[in-house]
């Protein structure tokens, strides 16, 4: 893995303090397991031909092999993980490339305001660009000092500790920078666009 895997991870588990004293968001229960939650089965991918791509409102579209992606500067962080179905796993250790690093490499246009993530299983999810450049948003390829397991989104997944976990695309292969918003898979099906766990933004109130 990376050298950063041996460093003491940066602790980002205090995100909840902005919203009160409770680390566990309302309506969540803590689990020690790491459940697998996917809309379908784990897709297969070929490590030789896998490409991570960034396109859209950027100066330099990116197409990186897995090796090239892993050569980008990485960080290791401890973060909490909240699934909208009600379980939370606290203190997960993820290693990966900050979203902001990828955005910087791609040279994002000033007009870009939204991001749509594309995954190998056909899953998509969207966020405002300003919510992606926060420090906890990683393209993670390591978990607990090992490669990220395939069921959890390996080779690369997004993690979004400030949002319910459906905002973090597993098996992510594409990041599209957009000037307008295109809703993702669950957002189109009624889940909240904003997905803040401490405000229990589970469903899109305008679309129920
Ligand atoms: N590509 C893809 N990403 C996905 C999903 C999915 O079905 N496909 N499910 C989402 C949901 S609802 C959750 S809770 C988390 C679950 O991640 P885990 O299986 O590692 O626990 O992945 C999110 N990312
Ligand atoms: Mo979820």
């Amino acid at each position: 893995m990376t050298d950063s895997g041996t460093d003491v991870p940066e602790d980002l588990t205090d995100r909840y303090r902005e919203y009160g004293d409770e680390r566990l968001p309302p309506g969540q229960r803590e689990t020690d397991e790491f459940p697998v939650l996917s809309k379908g089965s784990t897709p297969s991918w070929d490590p030789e031909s896998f490409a991570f791509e960034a396109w859209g409102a950027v100066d330099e579209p990116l197409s990186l092999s897995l090796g090239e992606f892993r050569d980008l500067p990485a960080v290791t962080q401890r973060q909490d993980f909240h699934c909208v179905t009600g379980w939370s796993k606290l203190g997960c250790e993820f290693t990966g490339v900050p979203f902001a690093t990828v955005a910087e490499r791609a040279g994002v246009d000033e007009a870009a305001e939204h991001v749509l993530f594309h995954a190998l299983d056909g899953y998509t999810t969207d966020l405002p660009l300003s919510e992606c450049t926060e420090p906890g948003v990683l393209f993670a390829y390591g978990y607990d000092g090992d490669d990220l397991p395939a069921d959890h989104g390996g080779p690369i997944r997004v993690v979004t500790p400030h949002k319910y976990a459906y905002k973090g695309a597993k098996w992510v292969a594409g990041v599209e920078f957009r000037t307008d918003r295109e809703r993702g898979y669950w957002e189109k099906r009624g889940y909240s666009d904003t997905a803040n766990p401490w405000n229990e933004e589970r469903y899109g109130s305008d679309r129920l």
Side-chain angles (χ1 to χ4, degrees):
M1 276 232 352
T2 73
D3 292 341
S4 55
T6 59
D7 295 341
V8 176
E10 191 187 347
D11 192 339
L12 268 80
T13 59
D14 60 356
R15 293 287 316 215
Y16 67 93
R17 289 193 192 281
E18 255 179 77
Y19 305 98
D21 299 329
E22 289 296 325
R23 182 159 168 192
L24 200 61
Q28 295 292 107
R29 64 186 180 283
E30 189 181 347
T31 175
D32 292 332
E33 317 278 289
F34 193 176
V36 169
L37 216 137
S38 312
K39 70 176 180 67
S41 48
T42 295
S44 56
W45 48 278
D46 173 5
E48 294 301 312
S49 59
F50 178 87
F52 174 90
E53 302 195 314
W55 72 90
V58 296
D59 297 334
E60 288 285 329
L62 304 177
S63 180
L64 304 174
S65 69
L66 210 44
E68 288 169 330
F69 189 86
R70 283 168 172 258
D71 282 341
L72 295 174
V75 297
T76 296
Q77 295 179 349
R78 213 166 260 294
Q79 341 183 317
D80 296 346
F81 190 101
H82 309 294
C83 173
V84 71
T85 63
W87 54 268
S88 292
K89 182 167 174 60
L90 304 182
C92 304
E93 190 183 306
F94 289 111
T95 298
V97 180
F99 180 96
T101 301
V102 169
E104 198 188 310
R105 297 278 162 135
V108 178
D109 291 353
E110 272 185 29
E113 287 187 7
H114 292 278
V115 174
L116 186 64
F117 296 93
H118 297 262
L120 296 177
D121 61 342
Y123 188 83
T124 52
T125 185
D126 68 280
L127 277 174
L129 176 59
S130 60
E131 305 232 53
C132 294
T133 47
E134 299 197 14
V137 182
L138 306 180
F139 292 102
Y141 52 77
Y143 175 72
D144 235 354
D146 278 316
D147 285 350
L148 180 69
D151 285 350
H152 288 300
I156 306 172
R157 79 168 303 155
V158 180
V159 287
T160 56
H162 55 330
K163 299 291 172 185
Y164 287 121
Y166 64 87
K167 291 293 183 180
K170 304 198 282 189
W171 314 297
V172 69
V175 48
E176 180 183 359
F177 293 87
R178 300 178 58 98
T179 53
D180 61 342
R181 174 168 74 202
E182 162 90 20
R183 284 196 167 104
Y185 181 86
W186 283 123
E187 291 85 355
K188 279 183 188 156
R189 289 161 175 79
Y191 279 12
S192 165
D193 293 330
T194 47
N196 181 326
W198 295 281
N199 294 338
E200 274 209 271
E201 295 162 1
R202 296 179 196 268
Y203 307 103
S205 51
D206 54 328
R207 284 168 294 124
L208 283 178

